[in-house]
Amino acid sequence: MTVCFVSRAQNAPPEKPKVTRILFLLDASGSMMAPWEGQPRWEVAKRLLAKIADSLNAYPNLELGLRVYGHQHANAEQNCEDSRLEVPFAPKNAAAIKARLKTLKAQGNTPITYSLEQSAKDFPLDKTSRNVLLLITDGVESCKGDPCAASLALQRKRVFLKPFVIGIGAEKDFGRSLECLGKYYNAAEVKTFQTVLNDVIAQTLAKTTVAINLTDEAGRPVESNVNMTFVNNVTGQPEYNYVHYRDAQGKADVLDIDALQSYDLVINTVPAVRQPNLVIKAGRANVLNFKTPQGTLVLQPATISPNPYGGAVQAVVRAAGSPTTGLALPFGTRQKMLAGNYEVEILTLPRSTQRVSVHQGQTTTVTYAVPGTLNITSDLKGFGSIYKLNDDESQTWIYNLPEASSKVNLAMQPGAYRLVFRTATSTGSKFTDVRNFTIRSAQTTSLSIFGR
């Protein structure tokens, strides 16, 4: 029986338009009654919030909700659970929000952390929606909670996208303690508050597109057909995977990207190019350029039949000067590489390293010498090693013989070598047998060991 699993592609368009849900989290602590350009901050916030809700009432696929904190208990009570969802999410519910705002008063504490945690229950269990939280406050946490940790945890659980935070009427700079919650705006003046509020809503609802140009060293957008991953740098999870495309005119196509999240862009060339904290302007047609010049690295095996190495020889490719393995490839491979300098370690016997440069649009070929064969004809138990003889007459270990039998056939690179061997039955180090030998391409070198 054949079982087929059909899964929804990550970037597939939804079957119906996504619902955007905006939760207004409004500070109603006692400090909101402080005067602000001739009237209480509380009255200004309510008036402008009501105006915004009114302007959004006709939008399709949009639902609003209102949670308020600090409004049910006097400040003297220091109640750290004074937070309530006053208007649940619903479409076209501006009237309900405006009516509820009229009945509320600012008087209590500032339990921001508790309110954030409670907001997780406010959003419906709908994985396809865009959940947005907008915090409006004139002060910082007053209940010894950690709102930054709470916000991060909820973003990682995908309860909401990166929140907006508007600090209003601030006579002192308390924004630094709120920046970690999300995207922070300082609205010290009423006019600024109104502008910021409108801007936040515009960012939430406006369409954002991104076109990525992959350029050569001269800045020409000639590269393409490379996977690009937009990684949510809060959750660490990939939000979008695209294989880059250019049309017949050489133009990169346009992608719909949600600008309310923050991303690291990974362009999966070899090695990858990573742009942390990708700058995407909400509501704009963003065009971003990244240098990704590529050439081709060809690993050409030695031409000899039969191949003494048996299977394909492997190679390890690293960026020049880096101890980290970039990738491992068998000889016979063609691999597109980012232009640059590399070290190719060839896993022949002995290993060798070649330093190469890959250039835009060009092919760089790496090969190795045709190997020869070492044939040790003696079948002895013992302890032996093979060393490469260097030009300065020093020796470098390359191989240990099997202890059970010295009789081996080894494919080796051409060069001068030394065998050091002592049988298992010998009665002293002085009975060590030392022999120099030479390996030549496509030839067999036979060697006998004397047991003593």
Side-chain angles (χ1 to χ4, degrees):
M1 180 179 67
T2 301
V3 179
C4 294
F5 295 93
V6 179
S7 61
R8 183 189 179 99
Q10 183 182 24
N11 302 324
E15 297 175 0
K16 59 181 180 179
K18 283 185 176 182
V19 174
T20 296
R21 295 187 173 93
I22 303 175
L23 179 65
F24 297 108
L25 180 54
L26 181 60
D27 183 351
S29 61
S31 60
M32 287 288 284
M33 294 306 296
W36 192 21
E37 298 181 14
Q39 53 188 317
R41 296 170 183 168
W42 175 242
E43 296 302 327
V44 175
K46 288 196 299 179
R47 173 170 52 83
L48 294 181
L49 190 55
K51 185 177 179 181
I52 280 289
D54 232 2
S55 69
L56 297 175
N57 214 42
Y59 274 80
N61 305 309
L62 177 65
E63 297 183 8
L64 304 179
L66 174 66
R67 172 173 283 275
V68 183
Y69 63 81
H71 60 305
Q72 301 174 100
H73 300 269
N75 191 40
E77 297 179 35
Q78 293 293 293
N79 190 303
C80 286
E81 295 185 354
D82 186 358
S83 179
R84 182 178 173 184
L85 178 65
E86 295 294 345
V87 181
F89 283 107
K92 304 183 185 304
N93 62 346
I97 290 176
K98 290 192 297 180
R100 195 72 187 102
L101 285 172
K102 290 179 181 179
T103 67
L104 303 176
K105 62 179 181 179
Q107 59 176 337
N109 219 345
T110 312
I112 297 178
T113 303
Y114 178 77
S115 298
L116 288 171
E117 293 169 346
Q118 293 301 301
S119 73
K121 306 172 185 177
D122 301 341
F123 293 97
L125 295 175
D126 178 3
K127 293 183 178 180
T128 66
S129 65
R130 298 171 71 238
N131 294 342
V132 180
L133 186 140
L134 171 54
L135 170 61
I136 301 171
T137 182
D138 75 337
V140 297
E141 172 73 40
S142 64
C143 289
K144 298 182 180 180
D146 188 343
C148 298
S151 175
L152 185 61
L154 292 170
Q155 290 178 66
R156 286 176 173 164
K157 292 178 181 178
R158 298 183 179 270
V159 172
F160 48 64
L161 305 176
K162 180 175 285 190
F164 292 102
V165 182
I166 304 178
I168 65 172
E171 297 176 1
K172 59 181 180 179
D173 183 16
F174 63 88
R176 289 186 179 179
S177 61
L178 297 174
E179 286 177 345
C180 55
L181 273 75
K183 192 170 184 180
Y184 175 76
Y185 297 86
N186 186 15
E189 300 173 347
V190 173
K191 183 178 180 181
T192 306
F193 175 49
Q194 184 170 5
T195 301
V196 167
L197 197 55
N198 290 332
D199 182 54
V200 165
I201 297 301
Q203 288 186 55
T204 301
L205 300 179
K207 182 177 180 179
T208 302
T209 62
V210 176
I212 304 289
N213 287 323
L214 304 180
T215 73
D216 62 11
E217 292 169 340
R220 296 170 297 189
V222 298
E223 296 289 354
S224 192
N225 304 325
V226 177
N227 169 256
M228 304 180 300
T229 306
F230 292 78
V231 179
N232 184 320
N233 58 19
V234 174
T235 67
Q237 299 299 314
E239 293 291 341
Y240 306 95
N241 270 304
Y242 293 107
V243 177
H244 188 272
Y245 174 81
R246 289 191 301 127
D247 62 19
Q249 287 72 44
K251 293 183 178 180
D253 57 352
V254 175
L255 309 174
D256 292 331
I257 302 295
D258 195 333
L260 298 194
Q261 298 179 125
S262 54
Y263 306 95
D264 294 345
L265 176 64
V266 181
I267 303 170
N268 291 287
T269 50
V270 179
V273 173
R274 190 179 189 102
Q275 174 60 56
N277 299 315
L278 188 68
V279 177
I280 299 177
K281 295 181 179 178
R284 304 282 185 86
N286 296 268
V287 179
L288 307 177
N289 300 300
F290 296 94
K291 283 189 177 182
T292 57
Q294 295 181 87
T296 302
L297 178 67
V298 174
L299 301 181
Q300 181 65 50
T303 54
I304 183 173
S305 182
N307 180 5
Y309 286 118
V313 172
Q314 299 292 314
V316 175
V317 183
R318 303 179 181 89
S322 172
T324 305
T325 298
L327 69 162
L329 299 169
F331 270 78
T333 298
R334 297 177 63 89
Q335 175 66 52
K336 289 194 77 173
M337 301 284 295
L338 202 64
N341 298 320
Y342 298 92
E343 294 176 353
V344 181
E345 184 179 7
I346 305 170
L347 306 186
T348 51
L349 184 66
R351 298 185 180 195
S352 63
T353 299
Q354 295 187 27
R355 293 173 175 82
V356 300
S357 295
V358 175
H359 300 284
Q360 164 76 35
Q362 299 181 22
T363 297
T364 300
T365 301
V366 174
T367 190
Y368 55 87
V370 173
T373 302
L374 171 64
N375 177 27
I376 299 179
T377 59
S378 307
D379 186 6
L380 300 172
K381 293 182 179 180
F383 312 96
S385 301
I386 297 174
Y387 298 86
K388 185 178 186 300
L389 296 181
N390 304 313
D391 293 339
D392 62 358
E393 298 186 1
S394 63
Q395 63 185 39
T396 304
W397 173 90
I398 63 167
Y399 183 79
N400 284 338
L401 295 177
E403 293 182 15
S405 175
S406 60
K407 191 173 184 178
V408 294
N409 274 277
L410 295 175
M412 298 179 63
Q413 288 292 284
Y417 297 92
R418 175 172 292 152
L419 171 66
V420 178
F421 184 85
R422 179 178 65 78
T423 62
T425 58
S426 63
T427 57
S429 299
K430 64 182 179 179
F431 298 113
T432 300
D433 192 7
V434 179
R435 294 178 176 257
N436 292 348
F437 62 95
T438 300
I439 296 293
R440 296 178 176 85
S441 291
Q443 295 185 23
T444 297
T445 298
S446 294
L447 203 63
S448 294
I449 304 173
F450 296 109
R452 306 185 214 180

